[in-house]
Amino acid sequence: ATAALDAAKVLLSDAQAELATWTARSEALALALDEARSRAGAERLAEVDGVLGTLLDLVDVDPGWEAPFEAAAGEALAAVVVASPDAAREALAALHSEAIAGAVLALGPARVASSTPPVGESVRARVRATRGGVDELLDVLVGSAVVVDGGWQEALELSLSHPELIVVTPDG
């Protein structure tokens, strides 16, 4: 019974440490999201018709794939997504009128997505839109993104031999 109790204490300690790690990551991501929204002018654009939110607000990423997705999408994560090109015009005019820098991505006519990457594991397969119309945008932004497990050296070599790809590692 003493050995079982000791083992349970070790498991509890490990679980508490993991909880602390994930709590810290969650808080850091929340702060980063708030900062990204601010940089993109999302708060100012909240009143503009057709604004759907930042890209990060509109996707669901498989657990463990957050870092590769963030690396592949880059600054587009902070962009404000709008429902149409007309909404984009209105949003950009609002940003310009207040001299606020920001990025706007418009949904609309079908875009040409890249074909399935020939190597690595597709990042796009691990990300889903939580709102209609955003899937096509994701196809364009991260459709050519792949994750390779061999570290940054393999990622570099692959990106040099396949410049059409966005190549990331599991840790982003």
Side-chain angles (χ1 to χ4, degrees):
T2 302
L5 178 61
D6 290 342
K9 286 180 180 178
V10 168
L11 288 174
L12 175 61
S13 176
D14 291 346
Q16 288 173 329
E18 188 170 344
L19 174 62
T21 298
W22 284 108
T23 299
R25 172 130 170 96
S26 173
E27 290 170 358
L29 288 173
L31 287 173
L33 179 57
D34 289 343
E35 182 181 320
R37 284 185 183 123
S38 177
R39 276 195 329 263
E43 282 121 22
R44 168 55 190 97
L45 297 178
E47 301 301 317
V48 174
D49 286 336
V51 170
L52 306 176
T54 63
L55 180 62
L56 196 52
D57 292 330
L58 301 172
V59 298
D60 182 33
V61 181
D62 287 352
W65 283 80
E66 298 87 352
F69 173 65
E70 291 169 14
E75 291 298 315
L77 282 179
V80 174
V81 179
V82 296
S84 68
D86 288 338
R89 285 183 189 90
E90 187 178 339
L92 290 169
L95 291 173
H96 179 74
S97 72
E98 295 187 25
I100 298 173
V104 175
L105 296 172
L107 303 182
R111 300 167 185 243
V112 177
S114 60
S115 60
T116 303
V119 292
E121 189 170 350
S122 172
V123 172
R124 177 64 184 94
R126 301 305 191 127
V127 182
R128 288 154 309 288
T130 59
R131 184 169 186 137
V134 178
D135 276 312
E136 292 81 9
L137 181 60
L138 287 171
D139 290 343
V140 172
L141 291 174
V142 295
S144 64
V146 295
V147 173
V148 294
D149 290 327
W152 68 267
Q153 295 92 344
E154 180 183 340
L156 175 61
E157 292 305 319
L158 184 60
S159 68
L160 291 173
S161 63
H162 293 279
E164 74 281 6
L165 297 179
I166 298 170
V167 184
V168 298
T169 61
D171 62 357

